[in-house]
Amino acid sequence: CCAVNSDTKYVNNADDLSDSYMSGDEEKSNSAKINNEINGNWITVPAGTVQEARLKAKAKRRLRKNSSRDSGRGDSLSDNGDTVRFGPPPTSPKGKVLDRRSRQGKGRGLPKKGGAGGKGVWGTPGQVYEDEQQVDVRDPNYDEDQENCVYETVVLPLDEDAFVRTVTPIVKEYFEHGDAYEVAELLSELNLGTMRSDVPLLAVSLAMEAKASHRELTSRLLSHLCGRVLTHSEVEAAFHKLLQELPDLVLDTPTAPRLVGQFIARAVADHILPTNFVEGYKGRVDCGHTRAALDRAAVLLKMRRETGLRIDNLWGLGGGQRPVNQLIKEVNLLLKEYVLSGDVAEAECCLRELEVPHFHHQFVYEAIVMVLESSGDTTLRMILKLLKPLYDSSVITVDQMRRGYERVYMDIADINIDVPCAYSLLEYFVDQSFSSGVIDKNLRDLCPCR
């Protein structure tokens, strides 16, 4: 509260009040003088009385100004302008009804109980209750039989249709990434049940319709799964079933007997089939396809024992895993066979089986060099006849075709040492390629001349 003087007086009894006021005669005379002044009777009054009136008025204005804050505290003014408080002192417990602020100065403004208090709150954020809840036997829902129950997630075994729908995408995806560990992990999560021995059967059936590199991946997959996901007896049962279904597989894959025989020989070499697997069928085979598969496996195993044939490399290396020198030899052999036979479809099939689309520029390079080193126009016409369909069917992309021609442009100076007329032959071949639509005008204009 505000007062005229800095000190605030607390009056608790009538004696203190009487001491703070003036005597009775002086009070009457001063009040008469003030009333005369107020009523317009301007008479001469002592200077001290006017000063006291001004102080009172000033104190009243301050009191009205702060009445909203100090109302209810029992403040009043004395005659000399001092503020007198009749209520309890600030330290009195009765004052806490009007003043809600803390009187102890404690707390930092943090939430109560660290945020764990309040309606609908079960604890602080992130709190984990690790202790097991004690079962209350007096609970109306308590069941004594549930004390020894063990709850587990049960995965139903796959039937034949669900097996094919689930495992087929896994095997086809494996043909793309080649990670046998991922396949083993995915299969271990399935409840294969009685269909466990059908995993090798399905994998081999899909591999026979795929490329040689996929067959190599399948042989590695079977060797990896045996002992981890499949047992040796399950793998052996799968190959027995594969030989029984061989007549049906021949309808989709005519070379199935030869391929199955190679799979059996590879499995024996990888020690996932017993060594006497083939001998166990002697004299007990009536189907010609099964007999052809077993004969193929027996021949390969005999060559392995006598000549040291590496059956572990039976399917060869796929794609870019082969050395560059080996790829160059196979490309040259392919071009020489084509020049002799003239079979464009066979050459295209052999180029696809190489599985090196990133290396097709080498095929274009070797083909042009073969034209420059040949005599006559026969080779030139046959090479153009081969490059045109390969370019139109996008077997050889525009980028690979361009890189092949540009490599010849860069090496033409060295080629000219062995072939004196290489510049003129190259210019003629480039013009014929542009006329056939194999290359564009920009690539033709880049052709060097002597």
Side-chain angles (χ1 to χ4, degrees):
C1 62
C2 299
V4 176
N5 298 326
S6 60
D7 296 334
T8 304
K9 298 180 180 180
Y10 297 93
V11 182
N12 296 324
N13 49 51
D15 296 337
D16 296 335
L17 292 174
S18 61
D19 294 337
S20 64
Y21 289 95
M22 296 178 295
S23 62
D25 297 336
E26 293 178 354
E27 182 179 359
K28 292 179 181 180
S29 61
N30 290 336
S31 60
K33 293 178 181 180
I34 293 173
N35 291 334
N36 292 334
E37 184 179 357
I38 294 175
N39 293 331
N41 298 325
W42 299 100
I43 59 177
T44 303
V45 296
T49 305
V50 176
Q51 185 67 20
E52 292 176 359
R54 289 179 179 176
L55 292 174
K56 281 187 178 183
K58 189 175 182 181
K60 288 181 180 180
R61 287 195 300 269
R62 291 183 178 180
L63 184 61
R64 284 195 300 267
K65 183 177 180 181
N66 300 325
S67 61
S68 61
R69 184 178 62 180
D70 297 331
S71 61
R73 291 188 178 180
D75 297 337
S76 63
L77 292 175
S78 62
D79 292 340
N80 59 358
D82 295 337
T83 302
V84 181
R85 177 171 297 173
F86 292 96
T91 58
S92 175
K94 297 181 180 180
K96 66 180 181 181
V97 178
L98 300 176
D99 189 3
R100 296 179 180 273
R101 292 175 295 180
S102 176
R103 297 182 301 278
Q104 299 178 357
K106 295 182 179 180
R108 296 174 297 168
L110 299 178
K112 185 179 181 181
K113 298 183 181 180
K119 184 178 180 180
V121 179
W122 286 19
T124 57
Q127 182 178 358
V128 179
Y129 296 94
E130 298 180 355
D131 297 337
E132 297 183 0
Q133 297 294 331
Q134 298 294 332
V135 180
D136 189 3
V137 295
R138 295 174 297 179
D139 190 348
N141 297 325
Y142 174 75
D143 188 1
E144 186 178 359
D145 296 336
Q146 294 182 358
E147 288 294 328
N148 300 325
C149 291
V150 178
Y151 298 94
E152 295 180 355
T153 302
V154 179
V155 180
L156 297 178
L158 299 177
D159 55 4
E160 185 175 358
D161 295 336
F163 172 80
V164 175
R165 291 194 307 267
T166 306
V167 180
T168 300
I170 296 176
V171 176
K172 289 184 177 180
E173 187 177 356
Y174 167 72
F175 290 159
E176 300 297 331
H177 57 72
D179 190 355
Y181 290 94
E182 182 179 352
V183 178
E185 182 178 358
L186 293 175
L187 293 178
S188 61
E189 296 176 356
L190 301 176
N191 187 1
L192 299 176
T194 58
M195 305 295 296
R196 189 178 299 273
S197 60
D198 289 348
V199 174
L201 175 62
L202 179 61
V204 172
S205 300
L206 294 175
M208 286 191 298
E209 300 175 359
K211 305 174 184 178
S213 60
H214 295 166
R215 296 165 193 155
E216 173 66 22
L217 289 174
T218 303
S219 296
R220 295 181 182 180
L221 177 63
L222 296 181
S223 178
H224 181 80
L225 294 180
C226 186
R228 292 180 174 87
V229 181
L230 305 174
T231 62
H232 288 79
S233 59
E234 290 172 346
V235 174
E236 185 176 358
F239 276 94
H240 286 308
K241 191 174 182 179
L242 182 63
L243 291 174
Q244 295 176 1
E245 296 184 359
L246 196 55
D248 296 333
L249 296 176
V250 173
L251 300 178
D252 297 329
T253 308
T255 58
R258 180 176 61 85
L259 297 177
V260 171
Q262 294 180 188
F263 271 113
I264 294 175
R266 176 64 181 272
V268 173
D270 292 340
H271 306 289
I272 61 176
L273 282 180
T275 55
N276 58 351
F277 180 83
V278 178
E279 286 77 4
Y281 277 91
K282 286 185 177 180
R284 300 190 299 108
V285 179
D286 297 331
C287 179
H289 300 298
T290 304
R291 188 181 302 109
L294 294 174
D295 291 342
R296 175 65 175 172
V299 170
L300 291 175
L301 293 174
K302 184 178 180 180
M303 294 175 62
R304 174 173 174 264
R305 291 191 300 267
E306 296 179 358
T307 63
L309 177 65
R310 294 187 57 184
I311 301 182
D312 56 349
N313 196 22
L314 183 63
W315 306 109
L317 297 175
Q321 298 179 357
R322 282 171 287 188
V324 176
N325 294 332
Q326 181 181 353
L327 289 174
I328 294 176
K329 292 180 181 179
E330 293 183 5
V331 167
N332 288 328
L333 181 61
L334 190 158
L335 290 171
K336 291 179 181 178
E337 291 180 354
Y338 165 72
V339 172
L340 295 176
S341 63
D343 191 350
V344 177
E346 180 67 19
E348 180 179 352
C349 181
C350 293
L351 184 61
R352 289 178 181 272
E353 289 181 354
L354 290 179
E355 301 180 31
V356 284
H358 59 281
F359 202 67
H360 285 174
H361 62 87
Q362 183 69 30
F363 178 84
V364 178
Y365 176 85
E366 297 293 342
I368 299 175
V369 172
M370 181 178 291
V371 172
L372 299 180
E373 294 178 350
S374 64
S375 58
D377 296 339
T378 303
T379 305
L380 186 146
R381 290 195 302 270
M382 294 189 67
I383 294 298
L384 286 177
K385 184 181 177 181
L386 175 62
L387 294 179
K388 176 61 176 176
L390 293 178
Y391 178 78
D392 293 339
S393 61
S394 297
V395 175
I396 300 179
T397 61
V398 178
D399 179 66
Q400 294 293 319
M401 187 71 72
R402 184 180 184 87
R403 289 180 61 185
Y405 274 82
E406 289 178 347
R407 287 184 57 194
V408 177
Y409 294 167
M410 295 174 60
D411 296 343
I412 187 62
D414 297 334
I415 298 175
N416 188 67
I417 298 176
D418 299 330
V419 184
C421 55
Y423 278 96
S424 58
L425 291 176
L426 178 61
E427 185 176 358
Y428 178 73
F429 178 79
V430 169
D431 290 337
Q432 294 296 321
S433 300
F434 175 73
S435 302
S436 302
V438 177
I439 61 176
D440 55 5
K441 183 176 181 300
N442 294 331
L443 187 58
R444 185 198 64 177
D445 296 340
L446 294 176
C447 180
C449 59
R450 181 181 292 272

